[in-house]
Amino acid sequence: DLTTAHPLDTETMPGPKGHENEPFFSRNRIVSWIAIFGVEGPLAVTFLVYLAKVPFANAVMPATDAAKIAFCLKRSFLAVFPSFMYMWGAMRAFEKDTRAEDPTAGVESSRWRKFQNILTNNTEQVVLFLPALLSAALATENSSEWRLIPAALCSFSLGRLLFGAGYFVPCLPASNPLAPFGTLTGWARSPGMNLTLYPTTFLLMFSAYKTGISFS
């Protein structure tokens, strides 16, 4: 099995007990949902609204569609840059075990697997975000609506950085009051994911709304 770590690889991903074969509405799932959708989600939305109403309150909508596209494309590197940063951690040439340069050997360290997961997720999110950003930008009709564009781009870029950093936040002890919540590797990545998810969601919703109006 090429997906199994080599016996000599001493870096293993922690797997505390308490998450196996849980009912769909188990306590652990409910606690996670409350944290993600009841706390982190509203905070992410609040941050997005803050960006639109304070730092970008005076943003002026470009006069033409071509100018709107140019604005987004010139700043699209902000969405891609976090992926480029974390990409270096997924370089096989930097692995301690030189056998990891063979992609079929299955000897990658847990550190490499973390970076690879970050890179994969970042790439997926960028592919979803950039078309949504362009579509929403073209759908704006005034400067008040336009503020969503720079606010979403700022939130997305920050979210991608925090998402990756979340993989390296130490796990909480199994004795913490919310255990096994916080005891899995990468548990702290969800705030960054929310700062990514909601901008993309609102951009798509805004575009769909504007398109629906245009057909009515």
Side-chain angles (χ1 to χ4, degrees), residues 69-153:
I69 294 175
F71 177 93
C72 294
L73 293 180
K74 285 180 179 179
R75 294 159 179 81
S76 62
F77 77 93
L78 294 172
V80 178
F81 188 70
S83 299
F84 179 78
M85 286 179 56
Y86 289 116
M87 177 188 73
W88 293 95
M91 290 284 189
R92 292 179 179 273
F94 297 148
E95 280 283 82
K96 294 179 180 179
D97 191 337
T98 57
R99 293 172 301 170
E101 293 191 39
D102 176 357
T104 66
V107 297
E108 296 87 355
S109 66
S110 62
R111 181 199 62 80
W112 180 90
R113 291 194 294 272
K114 289 177 183 178
F115 277 110
Q116 185 61 42
N117 286 340
I118 296 167
L119 180 59
T120 299
N121 189 272
N122 275 4
T123 302
E124 294 168 350
Q125 295 303 319
V126 168
V127 168
L128 293 172
F129 176 75
L130 288 181
L133 183 72
L134 289 170
S135 179
L138 291 173
T140 57
E141 297 179 336
N142 53 61
S143 294
S144 179
E145 294 176 348
W146 176 259
R147 293 182 297 179
L148 173 63
I149 304 306
L153 181 56

Side-chain angles (χ1 to χ4, degrees), residues 41 50 66 98 132 143 161 167 176-177 184 192-193 201:
Y50 165 79
T98 57
S143 294
L161 289 171
Y167 269 91
N176 84 80
L184 295 176
M193 187 66 208
T201 300

Side-chain angles (χ1 to χ4, degrees), residues 13-22 26-29 171-176 178-185:
M13 303 285 277
K17 295 182 178 181
H19 292 272
E20 306 89 346
N21 302 317
E22 292 185 355
S26 67
R27 171 185 175 278
N28 296 332
R29 290 185 188 276
C171 295
L172 299 179
S175 59
N176 84 80
L178 298 179
F181 176 78
T183 59
L184 295 176
T185 297

